[in-house]
Amino acid sequence: ALQAAYRIRLYAVEDYGRVIHEFDPWFNYRAAEYLAGHGQKSFFTWFDYMSWYPLGRPVGTTIYPGMQFAAVWIWQGLNASGHSMSLNDVCV
C-alpha cells in the first residue's frame, strides 16, 4: 500500500516533470520561498499584495504555516547534509 501511494503521488512528476500546476500549490511555494528568504518573524507579518487582488492578503494571520515550515526545514536539512535540492523540488 505504501508503494502504491508513493507511485500515485509521483505520477504527475514522472509524466510532466517538477512543475507546480495549480494556484494553491503555487501560493504555498511562494510562501515557503518567502519564509526561507526572510525568516519566521517577517513571514508572520508579511502582507502579500500578489494574492487576493486587489486587496492583498495578510499571510501571517490567514494561513496554516505547517506545510511551509516543513518544506523549508526539509530543504535546509537536505542542503546541510550535502544533498543539494531546490526549494521548488521539495515543494513538488
Side-chain angles (χ1 to χ4, degrees):
L2 181 62
Q3 188 177 22
Y6 186 76
R7 279 195 220 140
I8 290 169
R9 175 65 180 99
L10 289 182
Y11 175 76
V13 174
E14 291 171 356
D15 276 5
Y16 304 109
R18 296 178 176 120
V19 177
I20 297 174
H21 295 280
E22 302 297 332
F23 176 73
D24 285 342
W26 182 250
F27 172 77
N28 289 326
Y29 166 69
R30 282 186 49 244
E33 188 177 48
Y34 189 90
L35 174 63
H38 296 91
Q40 180 178 346
K41 183 177 180 182
S42 292
F43 178 76
F44 284 115
T45 58
W46 175 35
F47 193 88
D48 182 18
Y49 291 97
M50 292 179 62
S51 60
W52 290 5
Y53 183 82
L55 301 174
R57 177 180 183 179
V59 176
T61 58
T62 61
I63 192 172
Y64 295 107
M67 187 180 341
Q68 290 78 23
F69 276 90
V72 170
W73 291 336
I74 291 168
W75 173 69
Q76 289 172 339
L78 286 170
N79 287 325
S81 67
H83 296 87
S84 182
M85 184 178 283
S86 71
L87 185 58
N88 180 73
D89 289 350
V90 173
C91 289
V92 169

Coordinates of all heavy atoms in Angstrom, one line a residue:
A1 N 0.8 -1.2 0.0 CA 0.0 0.0 0.0 C 0.9 1.3 0.0 O 0.5 2.2 -0.7 CB -0.9 0.0 1.2
L2 N 2.0 1.2 0.8 CA 2.9 2.4 0.8 C 3.5 2.7 -0.6 O 3.6 3.8 -1.0 CB 3.9 2.2 1.9 CG 4.9 3.3 2.1 CD1 4.2 4.6 2.5 CD2 6.0 3.0 3.1
Q3 N 3.9 1.6 -1.2 CA 4.5 1.8 -2.5 C 3.5 2.3 -3.6 O 3.8 3.1 -4.4 CB 5.1 0.4 -3.0 CG 5.9 0.5 -4.3 CD 6.5 -0.8 -4.7 OE1 6.1 -1.9 -4.3 NE2 7.6 -0.7 -5.5
A4 N 2.3 1.8 -3.5 CA 1.2 2.3 -4.4 C 0.9 3.8 -4.1 O 0.8 4.6 -5.1 CB -0.1 1.5 -4.2
A5 N 0.9 4.2 -2.9 CA 0.6 5.6 -2.6 C 1.8 6.5 -3.1 O 1.6 7.6 -3.6 CB 0.5 5.8 -1.1
Y6 N 3.0 6.0 -3.0 CA 4.2 6.7 -3.4 C 4.1 6.9 -5.0 O 4.4 7.9 -5.5 CB 5.5 5.9 -3.0 CG 6.7 6.6 -3.4 CD1 7.2 7.7 -2.6 CD2 7.5 6.2 -4.4 CE1 8.4 8.4 -2.9 CE2 8.7 6.9 -4.7 CZ 9.1 8.0 -4.0 OH 10.3 8.6 -4.3
R7 N 3.8 5.8 -5.7 CA 3.6 5.9 -7.1 C 2.5 6.8 -7.6 O 2.7 7.6 -8.5 CB 3.4 4.5 -7.7 CG 4.6 3.6 -7.8 CD 4.3 2.4 -8.7 NE 5.0 1.3 -8.1 CZ 4.5 0.1 -8.1 NH1 3.3 -0.2 -8.5 NH2 5.2 -0.9 -7.5
I8 N 1.4 6.8 -6.9 CA 0.3 7.7 -7.2 C 0.8 9.1 -7.0 O 0.5 10.0 -7.9 CB -0.9 7.4 -6.4 CG1 -1.5 6.0 -6.9 CG2 -2.0 8.5 -6.5 CD1 -2.6 5.5 -6.0
R9 N 1.4 9.4 -5.9 CA 1.9 10.8 -5.6 C 2.9 11.3 -6.7 O 2.9 12.5 -7.0 CB 2.5 10.8 -4.2 CG 3.1 12.1 -3.8 CD 2.0 13.2 -3.7 NE 2.6 14.5 -3.4 CZ 2.9 15.5 -4.2 NH1 2.6 15.3 -5.5 NH2 3.4 16.6 -3.8
L10 N 3.7 10.4 -7.2 CA 4.8 10.8 -8.1 C 4.3 10.7 -9.6 O 5.1 11.0 -10.5 CB 6.0 10.1 -7.9 CG 6.8 10.4 -6.6 CD1 8.0 9.6 -6.4 CD2 7.1 11.9 -6.5
Y11 N 3.1 10.3 -9.8 CA 2.7 10.1 -11.2 C 2.8 11.4 -12.0 O 3.4 11.4 -13.1 CB 1.2 9.6 -11.2 CG 0.6 9.6 -12.6 CD1 1.0 8.5 -13.5 CD2 -0.2 10.5 -13.1 CE1 0.5 8.4 -14.7 CE2 -0.7 10.5 -14.4 CZ -0.4 9.4 -15.2 OH -0.9 9.3 -16.5
A12 N 2.3 12.5 -11.5 CA 2.4 13.8 -12.3 C 3.9 14.2 -12.4 O 4.3 14.8 -13.5 CB 1.6 14.9 -11.6
V13 N 4.7 14.0 -11.4 CA 6.1 14.4 -11.5 C 6.8 13.6 -12.6 O 7.6 14.1 -13.4 CB 6.8 14.2 -10.2 CG1 8.3 14.4 -10.3 CG2 6.2 15.1 -9.1
E14 N 6.5 12.3 -12.7 CA 7.1 11.4 -13.7 C 6.7 11.8 -15.1 O 7.4 11.8 -16.1 CB 6.8 10.0 -13.4 CG 7.6 9.5 -12.2 CD 7.1 8.1 -11.8 OE1 6.2 7.5 -12.4 OE2 7.7 7.6 -10.8
D15 N 5.4 12.2 -15.3 CA 4.8 12.5 -16.6 C 5.2 13.9 -17.0 O 5.5 14.1 -18.2 CB 3.3 12.3 -16.6 CG 2.9 10.9 -16.9 OD1 3.8 10.0 -16.9 OD2 1.7 10.6 -17.0
Y16 N 5.1 14.9 -16.1 CA 5.2 16.3 -16.5 C 6.4 17.0 -16.0 O 6.7 18.1 -16.3 CB 4.0 17.1 -16.0 CG 2.7 16.5 -16.5 CD1 1.8 15.8 -15.7 CD2 2.3 16.6 -17.9 CE1 0.6 15.3 -16.1 CE2 1.1 16.0 -18.4 CZ 0.3 15.4 -17.5 OH -0.9 14.8 -17.9
G17 N 7.2 16.3 -15.1 CA 8.4 16.9 -14.5 C 8.1 17.7 -13.3 O 7.0 17.6 -12.7
R18 N 9.1 18.4 -12.7 CA 8.9 19.1 -11.4 C 8.3 20.4 -11.7 O 9.0 21.5 -11.6 CB 10.3 19.2 -10.8 CG 10.8 17.8 -10.4 CD 12.2 17.9 -9.8 NE 12.7 16.7 -9.3 CZ 13.8 16.1 -9.8 NH1 14.5 16.7 -10.7 NH2 14.1 14.9 -9.3
V19 N 7.0 20.4 -11.9 CA 6.3 21.7 -12.2 C 5.1 21.8 -11.3 O 4.4 20.9 -11.0 CB 5.8 21.6 -13.7 CG1 5.0 22.9 -14.0 CG2 6.9 21.5 -14.7
I20 N 4.9 23.0 -10.7 CA 3.8 23.3 -9.9 C 2.7 23.8 -10.8 O 2.8 24.8 -11.5 CB 4.1 24.4 -8.8 CG1 5.2 23.8 -7.9 CG2 2.9 24.7 -8.0 CD1 5.7 24.8 -6.9
H21 N 1.5 23.1 -10.8 CA 0.5 23.3 -11.8 C -0.6 24.2 -11.4 O -1.2 24.9 -12.3 CB -0.1 21.9 -12.2 CG 0.8 21.0 -12.9 ND1 1.1 21.1 -14.2 CD2 1.5 20.0 -12.4 CE1 2.0 20.2 -14.6 NE2 2.3 19.5 -13.5
E22 N -1.1 24.2 -10.2 CA -2.3 24.9 -9.8 C -2.0 26.1 -8.9 O -0.9 26.3 -8.4 CB -3.2 24.0 -9.1 CG -3.6 22.8 -9.9 CD -4.4 23.1 -11.2 OE1 -5.1 24.1 -11.2 OE2 -4.3 22.3 -12.1
F23 N -3.0 26.9 -8.6 CA -2.8 28.2 -7.9 C -2.4 27.9 -6.4 O -1.5 28.5 -5.9 CB -4.1 29.1 -7.9 CG -3.9 30.3 -7.1 CD1 -3.1 31.3 -7.4 CD2 -4.6 30.4 -5.8 CE1 -2.9 32.4 -6.6 CE2 -4.4 31.5 -5.0 CZ -3.6 32.5 -5.4
D24 N -3.2 27.1 -5.7 CA -2.9 26.8 -4.3 C -1.5 26.3 -4.0 O -0.8 26.8 -3.2 CB -4.0 25.9 -3.7 CG -5.3 26.6 -3.4 OD1 -5.3 27.9 -3.4 OD2 -6.3 26.0 -3.2
P25 N -1.1 25.3 -4.8 CA 0.3 24.9 -4.6 C 1.3 25.9 -4.9 O 2.4 26.1 -4.3 CB 0.5 23.7 -5.5 CG -0.9 23.1 -5.7 CD -1.8 24.4 -5.6
W26 N 1.0 26.8 -5.9 CA 1.9 27.9 -6.3 C 2.0 28.9 -5.2 O 3.1 29.4 -4.8 CB 1.5 28.5 -7.6 CG 2.4 29.6 -8.1 CD1 2.2 30.9 -8.1 CD2 3.7 29.4 -8.6 NE1 3.2 31.6 -8.5 CE2 4.2 30.7 -8.9 CE3 4.5 28.3 -8.8 CZ2 5.5 30.9 -9.4 CZ3 5.8 28.5 -9.3 CH2 6.3 29.8 -9.6
F27 N 0.9 29.2 -4.6 CA 0.9 30.1 -3.4 C 1.7 29.5 -2.3 O 2.5 30.2 -1.6 CB -0.5 30.5 -2.9 CG -0.5 31.2 -1.7 CD1 -0.2 32.6 -1.7 CD2 -0.7 30.6 -0.4 CE1 -0.1 33.3 -0.5 CE2 -0.6 31.3 0.8 CZ -0.3 32.7 0.7
N28 N 1.5 28.2 -2.0 CA 2.2 27.6 -0.9 C 3.7 27.6 -1.2 O 4.5 27.8 -0.2 CB 1.7 26.2 -0.7 CG 0.4 26.2 -0.1 OD1 0.0 27.0 0.8 ND2 -0.5 25.2 -0.4
Y29 N 4.1 27.4 -2.4 CA 5.6 27.5 -2.8 C 6.1 28.9 -2.6 O 7.1 29.1 -2.0 CB 5.8 27.1 -4.2 CG 7.2 27.5 -4.7 CD1 8.3 26.9 -4.2 CD2 7.3 28.5 -5.7 CE1 9.6 27.2 -4.6 CE2 8.6 28.9 -6.1 CZ 9.7 28.2 -5.6 OH 10.9 28.6 -6.0
R30 N 5.3 29.9 -3.0 CA 5.7 31.3 -2.8 C 5.9 31.6 -1.3 O 6.8 32.4 -0.9 CB 4.7 32.3 -3.4 CG 4.8 32.4 -4.9 CD 3.9 33.5 -5.5 NE 4.0 34.7 -4.8 CZ 3.0 35.3 -4.1 NH1 1.8 34.7 -4.1 NH2 3.2 36.4 -3.6
A31 N 4.9 31.1 -0.5 CA 5.0 31.4 0.9 C 6.2 30.7 1.5 O 6.9 31.3 2.4 CB 3.7 30.9 1.6
A32 N 6.6 29.5 1.1 CA 7.8 28.8 1.6 C 9.0 29.5 1.1 O 10.0 29.7 1.9 CB 7.8 27.3 1.1
E33 N 9.0 30.0 -0.1 CA 10.1 30.8 -0.6 C 10.3 32.1 0.2 O 11.5 32.5 0.6 CB 9.9 31.1 -2.1 CG 11.0 31.7 -2.8 CD 10.7 31.9 -4.3 OE1 9.6 32.5 -4.6 OE2 11.6 31.6 -5.1
Y34 N 9.2 32.7 0.6 CA 9.3 34.0 1.4 C 9.9 33.6 2.8 O 10.7 34.3 3.3 CB 7.9 34.6 1.5 CG 8.0 36.0 2.1 CD1 8.2 37.1 1.4 CD2 7.9 36.1 3.5 CE1 8.3 38.4 2.0 CE2 8.0 37.4 4.1 CZ 8.2 38.5 3.3 OH 8.2 39.7 3.9
L35 N 9.4 32.5 3.3 CA 9.8 32.1 4.7 C 11.3 31.8 4.6 O 12.1 32.2 5.5 CB 9.1 30.9 5.1 CG 9.5 30.2 6.4 CD1 9.4 31.2 7.6 CD2 8.7 28.9 6.7
A36 N 11.8 31.1 3.6 CA 13.2 30.7 3.5 C 14.1 32.0 3.3 O 15.2 32.1 3.9 CB 13.4 29.8 2.3
G37 N 13.6 33.0 2.6 CA 14.4 34.1 2.3 C 14.3 35.2 3.4 O 15.3 36.0 3.5
H38 N 13.2 35.3 4.1 CA 13.0 36.4 5.0 C 13.0 36.0 6.5 O 13.0 36.9 7.4 CB 11.8 37.2 4.7 CG 11.9 37.9 3.3 ND1 11.5 37.2 2.2 CD2 12.3 39.1 2.9 CE1 11.7 38.0 1.1 NE2 12.2 39.2 1.6
G39 N 12.8 34.8 6.8 CA 12.7 34.3 8.2 C 11.3 34.3 8.8 O 10.4 34.8 8.2
Q40 N 11.2 33.7 9.9 CA 9.9 33.5 10.6 C 9.2 34.8 11.0 O 8.0 34.9 10.8 CB 10.1 32.6 11.8 CG 8.9 32.3 12.6 CD 9.2 31.4 13.8 OE1 10.2 30.8 13.9 NE2 8.2 31.3 14.7
K41 N 9.9 35.7 11.6 CA 9.3 37.0 12.0 C 8.7 37.7 10.9 O 7.5 38.2 10.9 CB 10.3 37.8 12.8 CG 9.7 39.1 13.3 CD 10.7 39.9 14.1 CE 10.1 41.2 14.7 NZ 11.0 42.0 15.4
S42 N 9.4 37.9 9.8 CA 8.9 38.6 8.6 C 7.7 37.8 8.0 O 6.8 38.4 7.4 CB 10.0 38.8 7.6 OG 10.9 39.7 8.1
F43 N 7.8 36.5 8.0 CA 6.8 35.6 7.4 C 5.4 35.9 8.1 O 4.4 36.0 7.4 CB 7.1 34.2 7.6 CG 6.1 33.2 7.0 CD1 6.0 33.0 5.7 CD2 5.3 32.5 7.9 CE1 5.0 32.1 5.2 CE2 4.3 31.6 7.4 CZ 4.2 31.4 6.0
F44 N 5.4 36.0 9.4 CA 4.2 36.2 10.1 C 3.6 37.6 10.0 O 2.5 37.8 10.4 CB 4.3 35.7 11.6 CG 4.3 34.2 11.7 CD1 5.4 33.6 12.2 CD2 3.2 33.5 11.4 CE1 5.4 32.2 12.3 CE2 3.2 32.1 11.5 CZ 4.3 31.5 12.0
T45 N 4.4 38.5 9.6 CA 3.9 39.9 9.4 C 3.9 40.3 7.9 O 3.6 41.4 7.5 CB 4.8 40.9 10.1 OG1 6.2 40.8 9.6 CG2 4.8 40.7 11.6
W46 N 4.0 39.3 7.0 CA 4.1 39.5 5.6 C 2.7 39.8 5.1 O 1.7 39.1 5.3 CB 4.6 38.3 4.9 CG 4.6 38.3 3.4 CD1 4.8 39.3 2.6 CD2 4.4 37.1 2.6 NE1 4.7 38.9 1.2 CE2 4.5 37.5 1.2 CE3 4.2 35.8 2.8 CZ2 4.3 36.7 0.1 CZ3 4.0 34.9 1.8 CH2 4.1 35.4 0.4
F47 N 2.5 40.9 4.3 CA 1.3 41.3 3.6 C 1.6 41.1 2.1 O 2.4 41.8 1.5 CB 0.9 42.7 3.9 CG -0.5 43.0 3.5 CD1 -1.6 42.8 4.3 CD2 -0.8 43.5 2.2 CE1 -2.9 43.0 3.9 CE2 -2.1 43.7 1.8 CZ -3.1 43.5 2.7
D48 N 0.9 40.1 1.6 CA 1.1 39.7 0.2 C 0.2 40.4 -0.8 O -1.0 40.2 -0.7 CB 0.9 38.2 0.0 CG 1.2 37.7 -1.4 OD1 1.8 38.4 -2.2 OD2 0.8 36.6 -1.7
Y49 N 0.7 41.4 -1.5 CA -0.1 42.1 -2.5 C -0.4 41.4 -3.8 O -1.1 41.9 -4.6 CB 0.6 43.5 -2.8 CG 0.6 44.4 -1.6 CD1 1.7 44.5 -0.8 CD2 -0.5 45.2 -1.3 CE1 1.8 45.3 0.3 CE2 -0.5 46.0 -0.2 CZ 0.7 46.1 0.6 OH 0.7 46.9 1.7
M50 N 0.3 40.2 -4.0 CA 0.1 39.5 -5.2 C -1.1 38.5 -5.1 O -1.5 37.9 -6.1 CB 1.3 38.7 -5.6 CG 2.5 39.6 -5.9 SD 4.0 38.7 -6.3 CE 3.5 37.8 -7.7
S51 N -1.7 38.3 -4.0 CA -2.8 37.4 -3.8 C -4.0 38.2 -3.3 O -3.9 39.3 -2.8 CB -2.5 36.2 -2.9 OG -2.2 36.7 -1.6
W52 N -5.2 37.6 -3.5 CA -6.5 38.3 -3.1 C -6.6 39.6 -3.7 O -7.0 40.6 -3.1 CB -6.7 38.3 -1.6 CG -6.9 37.0 -1.0 CD1 -6.9 35.8 -1.5 CD2 -7.1 36.8 0.4 NE1 -7.1 34.8 -0.6 CE2 -7.3 35.4 0.6 CE3 -7.3 37.6 1.5 CZ2 -7.5 34.8 1.8 CZ3 -7.5 37.0 2.7 CH2 -7.7 35.6 2.9
Y53 N -6.2 39.8 -5.0 CA -6.3 41.0 -5.7 C -7.7 41.6 -5.7 O -8.6 40.9 -5.9 CB -5.8 40.8 -7.2 CG -5.7 42.1 -8.0 CD1 -4.6 42.9 -7.8 CD2 -6.8 42.5 -8.8 CE1 -4.6 44.1 -8.5 CE2 -6.7 43.6 -9.5 CZ -5.6 44.5 -9.4 OH -5.6 45.6 -10.1
P54 N -7.9 42.9 -5.5 CA -6.9 44.0 -5.4 C -6.5 44.3 -4.0 O -5.8 45.2 -3.7 CB -7.6 45.1 -6.1 CG -9.1 44.9 -5.7 CD -9.2 43.4 -5.7
L55 N -7.1 43.6 -3.0 CA -6.9 44.0 -1.6 C -5.5 43.5 -1.1 O -5.0 44.2 -0.2 CB -8.0 43.4 -0.8 CG -9.4 43.8 -1.1 CD1 -10.4 43.1 -0.3 CD2 -9.6 45.3 -1.0
G56 N -5.1 42.3 -1.4 CA -3.9 41.8 -0.8 C -4.3 40.8 0.3 O -5.5 40.7 0.6
R57 N -3.3 40.2 0.9 CA -3.6 39.2 1.9 C -2.6 39.3 3.1 O -1.4 39.2 2.8 CB -3.5 37.8 1.3 CG -3.8 36.7 2.3 CD -3.7 35.3 1.6 NE -4.0 34.3 2.5 CZ -4.0 33.0 2.2 NH1 -3.7 32.6 0.9 NH2 -4.2 32.1 3.1
P58 N -3.1 39.4 4.3 CA -2.1 39.3 5.5 C -1.8 37.8 5.7 O -2.6 37.1 6.4 CB -2.9 39.9 6.6 CG -4.4 39.7 6.2 CD -4.4 39.7 4.7
V59 N -0.8 37.4 5.2 CA -0.5 35.9 5.2 C -0.3 35.4 6.6 O -0.8 34.3 6.9 CB 0.8 35.6 4.3 CG1 1.2 34.2 4.4 CG2 0.6 36.1 2.9
G60 N 0.4 36.1 7.4 CA 0.6 35.5 8.8 C -0.6 35.2 9.6 O -0.6 34.3 10.4
T61 N -1.7 35.9 9.3 CA -2.9 35.6 10.1 C -4.0 34.9 9.3 O -5.1 34.6 9.8 CB -3.6 37.0 10.5 OG1 -3.8 37.8 9.4 CG2 -2.6 37.7 11.5
T62 N -3.7 34.5 8.0 CA -4.7 33.8 7.2 C -4.2 32.5 6.6 O -4.8 31.9 5.7 CB -5.2 34.7 6.1 OG1 -4.0 35.0 5.2 CG2 -5.8 35.9 6.6
I63 N -3.1 31.9 7.2 CA -2.5 30.7 6.6 C -2.2 29.7 7.8 O -2.0 30.1 8.9 CB -1.2 31.0 5.9 CG1 -0.7 29.9 5.0 CG2 -0.1 31.5 6.8 CD1 0.4 30.2 4.1
Y64 N -2.3 28.4 7.4 CA -1.8 27.4 8.3 C -0.4 27.1 7.9 O -0.2 26.5 6.8 CB -2.7 26.1 8.3 CG -4.1 26.3 8.7 CD1 -5.1 26.4 7.9 CD2 -4.3 26.5 10.1 CE1 -6.4 26.6 8.3 CE2 -5.6 26.7 10.6 CZ -6.6 26.7 9.7 OH -7.9 26.9 10.2
P65 N 0.6 27.5 8.6 CA 2.0 27.5 8.1 C 2.8 26.2 8.2 O 3.9 26.2 7.8 CB 2.7 28.6 8.9 CG 2.0 28.5 10.2 CD 0.6 28.2 9.9
G66 N 2.2 25.1 8.6 CA 2.9 23.9 8.8 C 3.6 23.4 7.5 O 4.7 22.9 7.6
M67 N 2.9 23.5 6.4 CA 3.5 23.0 5.1 C 4.7 23.8 4.7 O 5.7 23.2 4.3 CB 2.4 23.0 4.0 CG 2.9 22.4 2.7 SD 1.7 22.4 1.4 CE 0.1 22.7 2.1
Q68 N 4.6 25.1 4.9 CA 5.7 25.9 4.5 C 6.9 25.7 5.4 O 8.1 25.6 5.0 CB 5.3 27.4 4.6 CG 4.4 27.8 3.5 CD 3.0 27.4 3.8 OE1 2.6 27.2 4.9 NE2 2.2 27.3 2.7
F69 N 6.7 25.6 6.7 CA 7.8 25.3 7.7 C 8.4 24.0 7.4 O 9.6 23.8 7.4 CB 7.3 25.4 9.1 CG 7.3 26.8 9.6 CD1 6.2 27.7 9.5 CD2 8.5 27.4 10.2 CE1 6.3 29.0 10.0 CE2 8.5 28.6 10.7 CZ 7.4 29.5 10.6
A70 N 7.6 23.0 7.2 CA 8.1 21.6 6.9 C 8.9 21.6 5.6 O 10.0 21.0 5.5 CB 7.0 20.6 6.7
A71 N 8.5 22.3 4.5 CA 9.2 22.4 3.3 C 10.6 23.0 3.5 O 11.6 22.6 3.0 CB 8.4 23.1 2.2
V72 N 10.6 24.1 4.2 CA 11.8 24.9 4.4 C 12.8 24.0 5.3 O 14.0 24.0 5.0 CB 11.6 26.3 5.1 CG1 12.9 26.9 5.5 CG2 10.9 27.1 4.1
W73 N 12.3 23.4 6.3 CA 13.1 22.5 7.2 C 13.7 21.4 6.4 O 14.9 21.0 6.6 CB 12.4 22.1 8.4 CG 12.1 23.1 9.4 CD1 12.7 24.3 9.6 CD2 11.0 23.2 10.3 NE1 12.1 25.1 10.5 CE2 11.1 24.4 11.0 CE3 10.0 22.3 10.6 CZ2 10.2 24.7 12.0 CZ3 9.1 22.6 11.6 CH2 9.2 23.8 12.3
I74 N 12.9 20.7 5.6 CA 13.4 19.6 4.7 C 14.4 20.1 3.8 O 15.5 19.5 3.6 CB 12.2 18.9 4.0 CG1 11.3 18.2 5.0 CG2 12.7 18.0 2.9 CD1 10.0 17.7 4.4
W75 N 14.2 21.2 3.1 CA 15.1 21.8 2.2 C 16.4 22.2 2.9 O 17.5 21.9 2.4 CB 14.5 23.1 1.6 CG 15.3 23.9 0.7 CD1 15.8 23.5 -0.5 CD2 15.8 25.2 1.0 NE1 16.6 24.6 -1.0 CE2 16.6 25.6 -0.2 CE3 15.7 26.1 2.0 CZ2 17.2 26.8 -0.2 CZ3 16.3 27.3 1.9 CH2 17.0 27.7 0.8
Q76 N 16.4 22.8 4.0 CA 17.6 23.2 4.8 C 18.4 21.9 5.2 O 19.6 21.9 5.2 CB 17.3 24.0 6.0 CG 16.8 25.4 5.6 CD 16.3 26.2 6.8 OE1 15.9 25.7 7.9 NE2 16.3 27.5 6.7
G77 N 17.6 20.9 5.7 CA 18.2 19.7 6.1 C 18.9 18.9 5.0 O 20.1 18.4 5.2
L78 N 18.3 18.9 3.8 CA 18.9 18.2 2.7 C 20.2 19.0 2.2 O 21.2 18.4 2.0 CB 17.9 18.2 1.5 CG 16.8 17.1 1.6 CD1 15.8 17.3 0.5 CD2 17.4 15.7 1.6
N79 N 20.1 20.3 2.2 CA 21.3 21.1 1.8 C 22.4 21.0 2.8 O 23.6 20.9 2.4 CB 20.9 22.5 1.5 CG 20.1 22.7 0.2 OD1 20.3 22.0 -0.8 ND2 19.1 23.6 0.2
A80 N 22.1 21.0 4.1 CA 23.1 20.8 5.1 C 23.8 19.5 5.1 O 24.9 19.4 5.4 CB 22.5 21.1 6.5
S81 N 23.0 18.4 4.6 CA 23.6 17.1 4.6 C 24.3 16.8 3.3 O 24.8 15.7 3.0 CB 22.6 16.1 4.9 OG 21.6 16.0 3.8
G82 N 24.4 17.8 2.4 CA 25.2 17.6 1.2 C 24.3 17.2 0.0 O 24.8 16.9 -1.1
H83 N 23.0 17.1 0.2 CA 22.1 16.7 -0.9 C 21.4 17.9 -1.4 O 20.3 18.3 -1.0 CB 21.0 15.7 -0.4 CG 21.6 14.4 0.1 ND1 22.1 14.2 1.3 CD2 21.8 13.2 -0.6 CE1 22.6 13.0 1.4 NE2 22.4 12.4 0.3
S84 N 22.1 18.6 -2.3 CA 21.5 19.9 -2.8 C 20.3 19.6 -3.6 O 20.2 18.8 -4.5 CB 22.6 20.5 -3.7 OG 22.1 21.7 -4.2
M85 N 19.2 20.4 -3.3 CA 17.9 20.3 -3.9 C 17.3 21.7 -3.8 O 17.4 22.4 -2.9 CB 17.1 19.3 -3.2 CG 15.7 19.1 -3.9 SD 14.7 17.8 -3.1 CE 15.5 16.3 -3.7
S86 N 16.6 22.1 -4.9 CA 15.9 23.4 -4.9 C 14.6 23.3 -4.0 O 14.1 22.2 -3.8 CB 15.5 23.8 -6.3 OG 14.4 23.0 -6.7
L87 N 14.2 24.4 -3.5 CA 13.0 24.5 -2.7 C 11.8 24.1 -3.5 O 10.9 23.5 -3.1 CB 12.8 25.9 -2.1 CG 11.7 26.1 -1.2 CD1 11.7 25.2 0.0 CD2 11.6 27.6 -0.7
N88 N 11.8 24.5 -4.8 CA 10.8 24.0 -5.7 C 10.6 22.5 -5.8 O 9.5 22.0 -5.7 CB 11.0 24.6 -7.1 CG 10.0 24.2 -8.1 OD1 8.9 24.7 -8.1 ND2 10.3 23.2 -9.0
D89 N 11.7 21.8 -5.8 CA 11.7 20.4 -5.9 C 11.1 19.8 -4.6 O 10.4 18.8 -4.6 CB 13.1 19.8 -6.2 CG 13.5 20.0 -7.6 OD1 12.6 20.5 -8.4 OD2 14.6 19.8 -8.0
V90 N 11.5 20.4 -3.5 CA 11.0 19.9 -2.2 C 9.4 20.1 -2.1 O 8.7 19.3 -1.7 CB 11.6 20.6 -1.0 CG1 11.0 20.3 0.3 CG2 13.1 20.3 -0.9
C91 N 9.0 21.3 -2.6 CA 7.6 21.6 -2.6 C 6.7 20.7 -3.6 O 5.6 20.5 -3.3 CB 7.3 23.1 -2.9 SG 7.9 24.1 -1.6
V92 N 7.3 20.3 -4.7 CA 6.6 19.5 -5.6 C 6.4 18.1 -5.0 O 5.4 17.6 -5.0 CB 7.4 19.3 -7.0 CG1 6.8 18.2 -7.8 CG2 7.4 20.6 -7.7

